[in-house]
Amino acid sequence: MESELGFKFDWSSKKVLIVEDDTFSVEYLIEVLSETNVQTIVTKNGLEAVEIVKNTPDLSLILMDIQLPGLSGDKATERIREFNKTIPIIAQTAHAMSNDRERYLKAGCNDYLAKPILITDLFLKLKKYI
Ligand code: MN
């Protein structure tokens, strides 16, 4: 899959945590990101995401779905921020209303991507924070 940016990123030294409960969305993200050779860790669970961040000191960035069963993405972000203030967290959400955005940023997300996530948006957002 070729991005529309006209060049390729090499993020082979970077590690991204994908927190997403929808299998199709996970497969899509992994396929798109494979072009960059970035390392990926996947979880469908907010609580597990918190544990992975605790146990993965070399993590570069988190793509955080908001709508998750159990612990929601914004709550998981709040918990992560209790012990890690610096890791970039990008919310991925179908609910890109301005009120929601404010809530995600307040929870500690650095930025957000609106679903369906466009490849170019994803790469440019990652480039900014990774
Ligand atoms: Mn979801």
Side-chain angles (χ1 to χ4, degrees):
M1 192 180 295
E2 185 72 32
S3 81
E4 294 150 32
L5 296 172
F7 56 94
K8 288 194 173 194
F9 296 106
D10 177 12
W11 290 324
S12 51
S13 65
K14 307 289 186 180
K15 198 178 280 183
V16 170
L17 173 62
I18 298 170
V19 189
E20 172 61 76
D21 62 314
D22 177 65
T23 305
F24 177 80
S25 298
V26 170
E27 286 174 2
Y28 172 74
L29 287 171
I30 286 178
E31 182 174 356
V32 170
L33 290 174
S34 68
E35 182 186 319
T36 72
N37 292 317
V38 73
Q39 303 164 61
T40 51
I41 304 173
V42 177
T43 179
K44 301 185 173 203
N45 179 303
L47 268 181
E48 193 174 82
V50 177
E51 290 310 307
I52 291 170
V53 178
K54 270 183 192 162
N55 296 318
T56 315
D58 61 340
L59 200 61
S60 311
L61 184 142
I62 304 168
L63 282 173
M64 180 72 82
D65 183 31
I66 296 297
Q67 305 277 309
L68 294 166
L71 192 66
S72 64
D74 49 326
K75 295 289 176 205
T77 297
E78 283 175 7
R79 291 206 191 174
I80 290 166
R81 286 301 183 222
E82 287 172 9
F83 62 89
N84 188 326
K85 308 259 188 244
T86 56
I87 185 144
I89 303 178
I90 301 177
Q92 28 165 348
T93 175
H95 303 266
M97 306 291 286
S98 59
N99 284 350
D100 288 330
R101 282 182 216 155
E102 247 168 65
R103 189 157 57 86
Y104 307 147
L105 298 178
K106 204 168 180 181
C109 294
N110 300 78
D111 214 324
Y112 60 88
L113 282 162
K115 288 183 181 176
I117 294 176
L118 303 174
I119 296 173
T120 303
D121 288 349
L122 175 65
F123 282 170
L124 290 178
K125 211 69 103 170
L126 287 178
K127 179 174 177 273
K128 183 174 174 186
Y129 292 102
I130 208 166

